[in-house]
């Protein structure tokens, strides 16, 4: 029988569907999925309020569903219709019910309800390839035109801040597990994850936690503010930059106020408070400006109520959220797909954790896509925001 390390290596080398999710202590790997649910606007409410509460297994950590909601689905869920956009017809959302969970930090522990789970067939058909260069859907000239239009919208009072998405793409078929661990060595982030399935891969080093709910306590952790890393910039200097920079401060304050408002829709009156205000987090290529907000969930608030209140996450859309989504959807010709959707886990007791899918690669139909966005507010410039998008994408682009 395979020992834990041998089993894990064989699992990686197979083509067996799996999910890897970063935790505070290390990583959790989920596999041997008993159910795979394709989530649509017709079944999302039933899935969240009924299916996720099914306690079919005795082990608490396996009474869960792990997966993602795409951006379009999250818009439709709150009544926003999207115009026809260029699409690759990727899934609107998928959640998986695992029978096996592998947790590791310094040691590997495994819990499984599948008989002979260590028996894995080798994959002899691994064919991986990718083109050298990514194409970008918006040139600086095209981006500047959109930037100017959205700046006019801000002056007209239609929005206060708006995030223009750009997409890098190229042909390829990835060795997802190998690339994920390479990424973790370069830029391990708190919301990193991997999904490997038969017909697609998602690889992410997302830094942003959209929600963590445990019992009746819920937190959100919006990111608004980016500074390119340089050798002479310390955490202390980065914090000073953000505090003294009028554009970054405006952007951050607007997003924090919006997220507090979203939380207030599902939390007890007066319970929504700032938990940690305007802190700096350091990553491989940049610094981020982050605030943590906490509240206490009202009685009789459902899973669907929570998802509807907080998704799609406002920090990667703009402010006010609904108006800004509608403006973006009217101008963006490419479907955002998974970008600015959410990946996470829902437990049968109602606890949940979700990120925002930024810094995330999608490999589907022999195409590799990566989207990024930066904020337009009064006082920002097209060239600066265009360059900021490259900084955000760099850690993933450098994998190739």
């Amino acid at each position: 029988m395979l020992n834990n390390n041998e089993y894990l290596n064989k699992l990686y080398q197979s083509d067996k569907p799996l999910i890897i999710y970063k935790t505070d202590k290390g990583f959790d790997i989920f596999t041997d999925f008993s159910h795979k649910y394709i989530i649509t606007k017709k079944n999302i409410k039933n899935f969240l309020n009924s299916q996720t509460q099914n306690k079919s297994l005795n082990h608490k950590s396996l009474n869960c569903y792990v997966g993602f909601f795409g951006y379009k689905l999250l818009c439709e869920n709150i009544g926003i219709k999207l115009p026809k956009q260029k699409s690759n017809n990727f899934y609107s959302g998928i959640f998986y019910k695992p029978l096996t969970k592998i947790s590791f930090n310094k040691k590997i522990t495994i819990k499984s309800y599948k008989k002979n789970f260590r028996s894995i067939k080798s994959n002899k058909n691994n064919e991986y390839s990718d083109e050298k260069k990514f194409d970008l859907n918006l040139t600086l000239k095209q981006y500047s035109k959109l930037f100017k239009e959205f700046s006019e919208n801000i002056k007209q009072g239609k929005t206060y801040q708006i995030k223009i998405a750009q997409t890098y793409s190229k042909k390829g078929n990835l060795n997802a597990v190998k690339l994920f661990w390479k990424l973790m060595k370069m830029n391990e982030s708190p919301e990193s994850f991997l999904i490997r399935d038969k017909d697609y891969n998602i690889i992410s080093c997302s830094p942003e936690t959209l929600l963590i709910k445990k019992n009746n306590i819920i937190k959100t952790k919006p990111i608004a503010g980016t500074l390119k890393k340089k050798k002479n910039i310390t955490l202390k200097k980065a914090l000073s930059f953000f505090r003294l920079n009028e554009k970054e401060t405006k952007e951050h304050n607007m997003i924090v106020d919006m997220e507090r408002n979203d939380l207030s829709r599902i939390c007890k009156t007066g319970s929504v408070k700032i938990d940690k205000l305007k802190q700096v987090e350091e990553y491989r290529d940049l610094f981020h400006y982050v605030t943590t907000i906490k509240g206490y969930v009202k009685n009789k608030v459902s899973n669907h109520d929570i998802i509807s209140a907080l998704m799609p996450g406002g920090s990667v859309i703009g402010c006010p959220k609904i108006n800004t989504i509608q403006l973006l959807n009217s101008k963006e010709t490419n479907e955002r797909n998974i970008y600015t959707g959410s990946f996470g886990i829902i437990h049968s007791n109602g606890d949940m954790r979700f990120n925002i899918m930024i810094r995330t690669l999608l490999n589907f139909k022999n195409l590799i896509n990566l989207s990024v966005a930066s904020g337009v507010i009064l006082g920002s410039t097209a060239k600066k925001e265009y360059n900021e998008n490259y900084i955000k994408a760099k850690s993933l682009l450098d994998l190739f």
Side-chain angles (χ1 to χ4, degrees):
M1 186 174 75
L2 299 175
N3 65 36
N4 286 351
N5 283 307
E6 291 170 337
Y7 160 69
L8 203 52
N9 286 330
K10 197 165 185 181
L11 176 63
Y12 290 161
Q13 291 163 18
S14 72
D15 62 356
K16 193 172 182 177
L18 60 82
I19 294 172
I20 306 176
Y21 197 5
K22 178 78 177 70
T23 68
D24 290 338
K25 297 178 181 179
F27 293 87
D28 285 340
I29 303 172
F30 301 93
T31 189
D32 295 321
F33 302 116
S34 62
H35 293 89
K36 175 180 173 179
Y37 287 92
I38 309 299
I39 311 299
T40 67
K41 63 180 178 180
K42 291 182 179 179
N43 68 13
I44 184 172
K45 188 172 183 178
N46 181 67
F47 170 75
L48 286 167
N49 289 347
S50 299
Q51 194 64 46
T52 57
Q53 295 176 26
N54 181 15
K55 299 179 182 180
S56 57
L57 301 174
N58 292 327
H59 199 269
K60 181 182 175 182
S61 67
L62 283 169
N63 273 318
C64 65
Y65 285 87
V66 192
F68 71 90
F69 302 112
Y71 170 74
K72 182 179 180 181
L73 173 62
L74 293 175
C75 287
E76 291 173 338
N77 180 55
I78 55 174
I80 298 174
K81 292 183 179 180
L82 277 75
K84 191 171 183 179
Q85 297 170 309
K86 186 178 178 181
S87 171
N88 64 357
N89 297 312
F90 187 61
Y91 301 99
S92 55
I94 305 178
F95 276 78
Y96 301 82
K97 178 80 171 174
L99 292 177
T100 300
K101 177 184 174 184
I102 306 135
S103 299
F104 69 91
N105 183 7
K106 294 180 180 178
K107 66 177 184 176
I108 300 170
T109 57
I110 302 174
K111 183 67 179 179
S112 182
Y113 282 89
K114 184 178 184 293
K115 290 182 179 180
N116 302 319
F117 70 90
R118 293 180 192 269
S119 178
I120 301 173
K121 292 180 181 179
S122 297
N123 180 17
K124 297 178 182 179
N125 300 314
N126 286 335
E127 293 182 8
Y128 306 117
S129 63
D130 64 273
E131 294 180 347
K132 289 185 177 179
K133 189 178 179 183
F134 278 94
D135 294 321
L136 187 55
N137 71 322
L138 293 175
T139 63
L140 177 57
K141 186 176 180 181
Q142 291 169 321
Y143 181 91
S144 298
K145 183 182 177 183
L146 274 177
F147 187 96
K148 186 176 180 181
E149 289 177 14
F150 286 139
S151 294
E152 287 301 313
N153 292 149
I154 293 171
K155 290 175 184 177
Q156 293 163 8
K158 295 179 181 179
T159 182
Y160 305 112
Q161 177 188 162
I162 192 163
K163 304 286 184 85
I164 305 173
Q166 294 175 263
T167 301
Y168 294 84
S169 60
K170 66 174 179 174
K171 291 181 180 179
N173 183 32
L174 301 176
N175 183 336
V177 172
K178 183 178 180 180
L179 211 64
F180 177 77
W181 290 122
K182 181 179 178 181
L183 178 61
M184 292 303 94
K185 288 180 180 178
M186 292 167 51
N187 191 38
E188 184 178 306
S189 301
E191 289 292 341
S192 301
F193 74 93
L194 159 74
I195 303 177
R196 180 181 73 186
D197 207 338
K198 298 291 185 183
D199 59 343
Y200 77 94
N201 302 295
I202 300 176
I203 301 167
S204 177
C205 59
S206 173
E208 185 156 1
T209 303
L210 177 59
L211 77 92
I212 295 177
K213 177 181 175 286
K214 191 169 184 180
N215 299 319
N216 72 330
I217 299 173
I218 190 166
K219 293 183 180 181
T220 186
K221 196 178 174 184
I223 292 174
T226 302
L227 175 64
K228 183 180 179 181
K229 275 185 85 171
K230 295 179 181 178
K231 288 183 179 179
N232 64 330
I233 300 179
T234 61
L235 274 170
K236 188 175 180 180
K237 287 183 178 179
L239 180 60
S240 177
F241 164 82
F242 286 124
R243 285 177 172 171
L244 296 174
N245 186 288
E246 186 179 5
K247 184 261 181 187
E248 299 289 354
T249 299
K250 281 182 183 177
E251 181 179 349
H252 194 89
N253 290 344
M254 281 190 283
I255 294 299
V256 168
D257 283 346
M258 181 174 60
E259 295 298 334
R260 288 172 68 184
N261 183 63
D262 285 351
L263 268 188
S264 295
R265 293 167 58 193
I266 53 166
C267 287
K268 294 176 180 178
T269 303
S271 72
V272 176
K273 306 287 185 184
I274 299 295
D275 195 38
K276 295 177 183 177
L277 179 64
K278 294 181 179 177
Q279 298 188 321
V280 175
E281 291 183 351
E282 182 177 4
Y283 296 93
R284 177 177 175 263
D285 299 304
L286 49 80
F287 296 96
H288 273 317
Y289 208 23
V290 185
T291 287
T292 303
I293 310 163
K294 182 172 80 171
Y296 292 86
V297 179
K298 295 174 186 174
N299 297 330
K300 297 183 180 180
V301 165
S302 69
N303 287 345
H304 183 254
D305 292 335
I306 293 169
I307 297 303
S308 301
L310 293 175
M311 296 184 189
S315 66
V316 285
I317 302 296
C319 181
K321 188 160 70 172
I322 303 301
N323 283 1
T324 305
I325 287 173
Q326 291 169 334
L327 285 171
L328 279 171
N329 293 344
S330 70
K331 294 294 183 181
E332 291 183 346
T333 56
N334 285 14
E335 193 176 281
R336 285 195 170 201
N337 216 317
I338 62 168
Y339 179 64
T340 61
S342 287
F343 166 89
I345 185 168
I346 308 175
H347 295 276
S348 60
N349 65 356
D351 290 353
M352 63 179 84
R353 171 188 166 202
F354 279 93
N355 69 14
I356 299 182
M357 285 196 283
I358 56 177
R359 322 289 149 80
T360 301
L361 285 170
L362 171 64
N363 186 195
F364 178 61
K365 291 183 178 177
N366 201 41
L367 281 174
I368 303 163
N369 292 318
L370 164 64
S371 295
V372 287
S374 57
V376 181
I377 67 167
L378 291 179
S380 58
T381 66
K383 188 174 182 180
K384 179 183 179 298
E385 301 305 325
Y386 189 84
N387 291 336
E388 183 178 301
N389 280 344
Y390 172 73
I391 297 167
K392 291 174 177 176
K394 190 174 182 300
S395 62
L396 285 158
L397 296 175
D398 285 352
L399 288 172
F400 299 93

